[in-house]
Amino acid sequence: MRTHIPYLLAVASTVATRRVDERLAAYDLTVRQYGLLTQLSLEPELTMAELARQLGIARQSVHQLVNDLVEAGHVRRRPGADDRSRRLEITDTAHYLLSRIDGPLERVEEELLGDLAPEEAETLRGLLQRVLAHATDDEAWLPAC
């Protein structure tokens, strides 16, 4: 019997999330908060609905994440195209925080990937980006060329 890819991805996600959360605790962040900040740094001024779609999580979860990040001073809400929508942007504090946690996250990546060669790691990264672009119907996951 072969092991199905969705199961492998789910287990890998659980292991990676636990390890990243352990490292990010020193910065008072979770992997989900990091993901939201990263998406906003790559695509400034997304709405909560757009973030929910890109991150593959419920809008209610995005609302809670945003509320926590606003309270921490990492995200600002801006008026959107209509009275109901809000565009989100990260603050200078968040930009600085993201630059500080790059090293610890690279170390987690190295631990997780073990003895994979650098070109294998980049192949895995590219394949995961393509899977996410397809699964979310959002090409923003694809690397900029």
Side-chain angles (χ1 to χ4, degrees):
M1 181 170 100
R2 70 186 183 125
T3 307
H4 294 279
I5 291 172
Y7 173 71
L8 293 172
L9 288 171
V11 174
S13 173
T14 300
V15 171
T17 297
R18 182 175 30 87
R19 290 188 183 185
V20 171
D21 279 344
E22 288 170 1
R23 294 288 171 88
L24 293 182
Y27 302 92
D28 201 26
L29 274 184
T30 66
V31 70
R32 281 191 153 191
Q33 291 170 328
Y34 165 78
L36 191 144
L37 292 174
T38 298
Q39 285 305 117
L40 285 175
S41 72
L42 295 171
E43 292 185 86
E45 300 192 5
L46 291 172
T47 65
M48 289 199 210
E50 291 165 337
L51 272 170
R53 183 176 44 79
Q54 286 185 355
L55 298 174
I57 60 177
R59 288 175 75 170
Q60 296 86 341
S61 296
V62 170
H63 281 278
Q64 185 59 53
L65 288 169
V66 167
N67 288 341
D68 292 344
L69 291 168
V70 166
E71 189 175 312
H74 299 313
V75 171
R76 278 189 292 266
R77 291 181 179 98
R78 298 283 188 213
D82 57 44
D83 289 338
R84 294 183 53 193
S85 68
R86 298 284 175 262
R87 296 278 172 194
L88 303 170
E89 68 180 17
I90 64 173
T91 63
D92 290 341
T93 305
H95 282 289
Y96 175 71
L97 181 63
L98 288 173
S99 71
R100 287 188 55 218
I101 61 178
D102 195 45
L105 291 179
E106 283 184 16
R107 287 189 286 284
V108 171
E109 188 173 303
E110 291 168 4
E111 292 168 8
L112 286 171
L113 298 181
D115 63 353
L116 288 184
E119 42 297 335
E120 291 175 311
E122 288 310 310
T123 297
L124 177 61
R125 185 182 327 278
L127 290 171
L128 289 171
Q129 288 171 313
R130 287 175 48 200
V131 166
L132 287 168
H134 174 74
T136 62
D137 195 28
D138 189 343
E139 292 184 2
W141 283 105
L142 298 174
C145 296

